[in-house]
């Protein structure tokens, strides 16, 4: 098992469900050797890490969180999850620098561009509960159906594993079971 697993989403690929599952099962994951610790107790993901490492600057609290987490991992694998790791201002090089000398596996689910675009449209434009609307082409667009701009920083990383967002290819057509298999844990 790698020392670090970074789940980079992508947007509209079940990330909220995966993050909720991980957060609610932190103790079970820990018993299986996976640390899923979030810097802000109100967030079941690592969005604060992604927003705390931008444009070459690191928020001091995030620096402390990452340094302490890596230093006390006791041979366990640390798991991070945020679709914001693919956004334009996130500083990939600085983030990965915290893991120098460690084995890092990066997971990204890819969704059929047509399905992803419909889901994005429904969330951003049609959903009456969303309090914001923006042009579909407004950069940095986190729902780029080509994935090229979102994955640009990650594509040359040798530990990148691209996973299909396709229920027909998941065990029991369940993304949580598929993700559990990808991180090498028993989903029960």
């Amino acid at each position: 098992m790698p020392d670090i697993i970074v789940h980079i989403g992508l947007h509209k690929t079940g990330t909220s469900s995966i993050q909720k599952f991980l957060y609610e099962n932190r103790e079970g994951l820990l018993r299986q050797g996976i640390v899923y610790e979030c810097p802000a107790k109100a967030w079941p993901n690592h969005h604060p890490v992604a927003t705390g490492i931008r444009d070459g600057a690191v928020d001091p609290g995030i620096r402390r969180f990452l340094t302490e987490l890596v230093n006390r991992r006791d041979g366990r694998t640390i798991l991070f999850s945020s679709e914001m790791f693919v956004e334009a201002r996130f500083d990939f090089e600085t983030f990965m620098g915290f893991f120098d000398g460690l084995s890092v596996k990066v997971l990204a689910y890819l969704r059929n561009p047509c399905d992803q675009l419909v889901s994005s449209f429904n969330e951003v434009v049609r959903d009456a509960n969303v309090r914001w609307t923006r042009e579909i082409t407004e950069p940095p667009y986190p729902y780029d159906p080509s994935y090229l701009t979102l994955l640009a920083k990650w594509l040359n990383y040798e530990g990148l594993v691209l996973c299909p967002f396709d229920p027909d290819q998941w065990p029991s057509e369940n993304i949580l079971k598929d993700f559990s298999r990808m991180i090498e844990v028993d989903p029960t």
Side-chain angles (χ1 to χ4, degrees):
M1 192 174 295
D3 299 312
I4 307 292
I5 299 172
V6 182
H7 172 229
I8 60 173
L10 297 151
H11 290 279
K12 310 309 296 172
T13 59
T15 51
S16 295
S17 295
I18 290 170
Q19 291 160 356
K20 182 178 183 220
F21 171 78
L22 295 171
Y23 191 77
E24 290 175 352
N25 292 284
R26 294 183 312 274
E27 291 178 18
L29 289 167
L30 193 56
R31 285 192 296 274
Q32 295 187 57
I34 303 276
V35 175
Y36 187 75
E37 186 175 318
C38 301
K41 301 305 177 204
W43 292 90
N45 53 45
H46 295 92
H47 295 353
V49 173
T51 59
I53 304 174
R54 292 190 174 216
D55 304 326
V58 182
D59 175 271
I62 296 302
R63 179 181 303 280
R64 188 171 39 260
F65 170 76
L66 290 173
T67 302
E68 289 174 4
L69 194 57
V70 168
N71 287 338
R72 67 174 165 78
R73 65 184 187 82
D74 300 325
R76 296 182 177 129
T77 295
I78 301 170
L79 173 59
F80 297 93
S81 180
S82 176
E83 54 272 39
M84 294 177 76
F85 289 141
V86 298
E87 292 189 359
R89 293 185 56 209
F90 173 70
D91 192 328
F92 165 83
E93 290 83 10
T94 300
F95 176 68
M96 295 301 279
F98 283 95
F99 315 127
D100 281 343
L102 299 175
S103 169
V104 181
K105 179 179 181 178
V106 178
L107 301 174
Y109 279 90
L110 301 180
R111 188 171 186 172
N112 177 304
C114 295
D115 295 340
Q116 190 251 3
L117 193 57
V118 169
S119 181
S120 301
F121 175 83
N122 287 337
E123 177 185 354
V124 176
V125 179
R126 279 186 52 190
D127 190 342
N129 296 319
V130 174
R131 302 275 185 237
W132 50 271
T133 302
R134 62 179 172 195
E135 293 292 323
I136 202 150
T137 57
E138 181 181 321
Y141 188 55
Y143 304 128
D144 173 10
S146 76
Y147 290 122
L148 294 178
T149 57
L150 298 174
L151 287 173
K153 299 172 188 175
W154 298 94
L155 283 174
N156 290 324
Y157 184 72
E158 68 182 48
L160 176 64
V161 178
L162 299 176
C163 316
F165 185 85
D166 181 1
D168 291 339
Q169 296 186 48
W170 303 332
S172 306
E173 298 183 352
N174 184 312
I175 193 170
L176 300 177
K177 288 182 180 179
D178 187 68
F179 188 81
S180 297
R181 185 177 51 86
M182 297 300 295
I183 64 171
E184 302 176 36
V185 298
D186 180 354
T188 59

